[in-house]
Amino acid sequence: MQTRRFETADEAKLLQASAAVIQDLGFSIDETAVPAGLIVASKDRDATEAGQVAGAIMMAVLFGARMPIDTKQKIRVSLVTRPSSSQNTAVRVTFQRIVWNDQNQLSKIEGLSDPAMYQQFFDKLSQSVFLTANEIQK
Amino acid sequence: MMKKYAIVPLMALVFCLAGCQTDSRTQVLDTSKSQVQLRAYQTRAYETTDRDKMLRTIIGTLQDLAFVVDKADATLGTVSATKLNGYALRITVTIRPRGTTQILVRANAQYNITPVEDPTPYQQFFEALSKAMFLEGQQVDA
């Protein structure tokens, strides 16, 4: 689920295309190690969910109880490339997130394991590899 | 009497359900604009092949704009920096060669917990960078 193989032996190019996708998705790059084929990036986003807010409002109205709601999250991604054969390079990506509530407490720390999410990421990466390859031909 | 009070949370509920996300995990891959569109205004091409000078100028420009550099990698060609001024503005700038005579500079930023997807701040950044490089950055069709 987290790994795809690309038909290229050029690990550096693939890493560059990956960095571009990570930027496309609004992440900021935290850490890189090109010899190890590693990129670590993160982004801070809104974590408010309608259902949770609705629940909190109902609790407040019915019982006068104050339920904390999630407000912000840090989404982290690490991406690693490694040669898988003489013509192929494997890319492995992992997403995780840290969520804080409105009282500034940690409310969730979790790895993200939705296959559709990873599929979508690799679709974008394929597109990026293609865009990058096209630019080189120009 | 009861009806009168019930309307308040209901209104709040309706407003929220209309405006809020239902699953915050969708933020992982979320962008309001397309990949190609975003790249177009976050990217400029410069007529130089001097990577080191480009990176140094980017770092210098970021410092001029009151950013503090978090990390820089010359091999991959990335610089990440943060500006704190009552808000946290985080920016990542990457460079890569384009053809044999140009370098592509790509920037993306987040303002507190929102992505910066308005073209203006990027234009301003590239203007400052162009001045520092004594080069005119050209808009590229991604």
Side-chain angles (χ1 to χ4, degrees), chain A residues 9-35:
Chain A
D10 194 340
E11 209 179 330
K13 277 270 149 55
L14 193 55
L15 207 60
Q16 216 154 53
S18 305
V21 177
I22 286 172
Q23 271 192 303
D24 286 339
L25 296 171
F27 285 89
S28 288
I29 292 166
D30 294 329
E31 206 53 66
T32 49
V34 179

Side-chain angles (χ1 to χ4, degrees), chain B residues 71-127:
Chain B
K71 88 147 277 136
D73 182 330
T75 329
L76 190 63
T78 68
V79 182
S80 294
T82 308
K83 178 177 183 172
L84 301 173
N85 186 18
Y87 52 81
L89 182 61
R90 182 122 208 265
I91 189 167
T92 290
V93 186
T94 60
I95 62 167
R96 63 196 160 95
R98 182 192 202 220
T100 49
T101 58
Q102 290 186 321
I103 289 180
L104 278 182
V105 179
R106 161 86 186 269
N108 75 310
Q110 66 176 25
Y111 176 87
N112 291 336
I113 56 167
T114 32
V116 180
E117 292 183 340
D118 177 40
T120 323
Y122 295 107
Q123 271 163 20
Q124 288 164 345
F125 169 73
F126 287 120
E127 262 165 41

Side-chain angles (χ1 to χ4, degrees), chain A residues 22 27-31 39-43 75-78:
Chain A
I22 286 172
F27 285 89
S28 288
I29 292 166
D30 294 329
E31 206 53 66
I39 301 175
V40 182
S42 67
K43 63 176 174 182
I75 302 165
R76 282 164 43 87
V77 58
S78 76

Side-chain angles (χ1 to χ4, degrees), chain A residues 10-115:
Chain A
D10 194 340
E11 209 179 330
K13 277 270 149 55
L14 193 55
L15 207 60
Q16 216 154 53
S18 305
V21 177
I22 286 172
Q23 271 192 303
D24 286 339
L25 296 171
F27 285 89
S28 288
I29 292 166
D30 294 329
E31 206 53 66
T32 49
V34 179
L38 171 78
I39 301 175
V40 182
S42 67
K43 63 176 174 182
D44 300 307
R45 289 294 184 268
D46 186 14
T48 323
E49 287 183 0
Q52 209 182 26
V53 173
I57 293 172
M58 291 315 272
M59 286 298 276
V61 170
L62 296 175
F63 307 109
R66 194 186 179 300
M67 292 257 296
I69 52 166
D70 293 343
T71 50
K72 60 173 184 177
Q73 59 181 334
K74 184 184 267 298
I75 302 165
R76 282 164 43 87
V77 58
S78 76
L79 182 143
V80 182
T81 57
R82 82 187 141 76
S84 66
S85 71
S86 58
Q87 264 111 58
N88 290 321
T89 309
V91 177
R92 167 142 192 203
V93 68
T94 314
F95 290 104
Q96 55 183 213
R97 66 171 186 159
I98 307 164
V99 184
W100 287 271
N101 64 24
D102 57 354
Q103 289 164 13
N104 236 341
Q105 296 157 327
L106 278 180
S107 87
K108 280 187 204 104
I109 32 173
E110 59 186 6
L112 298 169
S113 54
D114 175 12

